[in-house]
Amino acid sequence: MGSIVLFGPPGAGKGTQAQRITEHTSLPQVSTGDMLRAAVKAGTAIGLEAKSYMDRGALVPDDVILGLIEERIAENDAKNGVMFDGFPRTIPQAEALSELTEITHVLAIDVPDERIVERICGRLTCGTCGTVYHDVFNPVPGDGCECGQYVEKRRADDTEATVLTRLGAYHEQTSPLASWYEERGLFHRVDGDRAIDDITTDLLYVLQ
Ligand code: AP5
């Protein structure tokens, strides 16, 4: 099997669905957003460079992202393919990726802009295992995260002002990738304005 791309605007549910789909495909989730946040937390040179872009909701330069990806997909667990979450986000990133691994499916989660702010501003992430929750739409279970170690965490870039900048970057720089992948016969669109379980069912159906 090759690799899969989960595509969609900020807050579409890419991370939520990636965590579910990896259980069925055994492809590891590779999230450039998570990798960048880890680099920021560790205070590496890449983290320091990326932080200024992330804090204002702008895309991090392609060369930084591609360096991270090349290193990640050289790891042993990626040899049968991976599930990309939040990558590629520009046409140069997609072109470079096509030289590194075979993409078999691009799964686009469609969500209207008016839903995005409420989704992102209500997001909670488990500080231990990374499971994503939502204040209203996907609450943390009464006895905490299923990993047993739930620590509530809100992302630094999950503010209304930053979300609007991230949406702008999506429409200007990332959405042109839809037709780029459509031309290559790889693009599958799923309605993401529904219950989380229904979206998972549709995504798994496409992968079958
Ligand atoms: P990144 O971390 O990738 O953020 P993003 O693309 O903005 O996406 P999110 O993680 O915010 O949303 P998601 O689609 O994963 O939704 P989630 O499942 O969490 O990137 C952050 C930054 O890093 C970027 O701004 C950029 O600076 C940089 N960056 C990263 N990759 C880059 C790249 N390739 N190139 C350049 N720069 C890059 O769900 C959101 C919320 O909604 C959750 O609370 C969830 O519980 C809830 N939810 C999910 N599904 C549903 C549903 N069906 N109904 C109701 N609620 C739902």
Side-chain angles (χ1 to χ4, degrees):
M1 190 173 194
S3 294
I4 295 168
V5 171
L6 274 175
F7 183 85
K14 302 180 295 294
T16 300
Q17 297 298 336
Q19 286 172 350
R20 291 160 160 244
I21 295 171
T22 52
E23 289 166 19
H24 294 266
T25 62
S26 73
L27 295 177
Q29 175 184 0
V30 172
S31 157
T32 39
D34 287 348
M35 291 163 81
L36 291 167
R37 280 183 287 279
V40 170
K41 194 172 170 192
T44 64
I46 284 179
L48 288 175
E49 182 178 357
K51 189 175 186 313
S52 63
Y53 294 93
M54 297 170 79
D55 282 351
R56 59 176 200 273
L59 293 187
V60 173
D62 290 339
D63 59 332
V64 174
I65 299 292
L66 290 168
L68 284 175
I69 287 289
E70 277 179 40
E71 213 171 280
R72 177 63 185 87
I73 66 176
E75 287 177 30
N76 205 34
D77 68 338
K79 64 178 187 298
N80 294 321
V82 302
M83 165 153 311
F84 292 107
D85 158 12
F87 172 84
R89 260 164 144 112
T90 63
I91 288 181
Q93 289 181 18
E95 286 171 342
L97 179 62
S98 68
E99 303 289 319
L100 296 172
T101 183
E102 185 200 1
I103 300 297
T104 58
H105 298 81
V106 177
L107 305 174
I109 307 174
D110 258 355
V111 178
D113 285 5
E114 57 270 23
R115 291 271 183 270
I116 298 296
V117 172
E118 62 180 354
R119 281 200 188 182
I120 286 189
C121 294
R123 171 167 43 200
L124 291 166
T125 308
C126 175
T128 305
C129 71
T131 299
V132 179
Y133 297 97
H134 189 280
D135 287 333
V136 177
F137 305 131
N138 187 17
V140 182
D143 50 357
C145 183
E146 51 198 37
C147 76
Q149 299 288 324
Y150 180 67
V151 182
E152 179 180 313
K153 210 176 84 180
R154 296 229 185 240
R155 269 171 47 179
D157 59 344
D158 279 355
T159 63
E160 192 167 339
T162 311
V163 173
L164 295 177
T165 310
R166 285 158 61 192
L167 257 182
Y170 170 76
H171 287 300
E172 281 167 33
Q173 294 167 273
T174 305
S175 63
L177 271 177
S179 43
W180 196 88
Y181 277 120
E182 258 160 2
E183 285 161 17
R184 287 154 180 82
L186 299 172
F187 199 75
H188 305 268
R189 213 179 272 280
V190 167
D191 177 5
D193 191 11
R194 294 178 298 152
I196 293 173
D197 284 348
D198 294 343
I199 300 165
T200 309
T201 302
D202 278 9
L203 292 172
L204 291 173
Y205 181 78
V206 173
L207 291 177
Q208 277 166 15

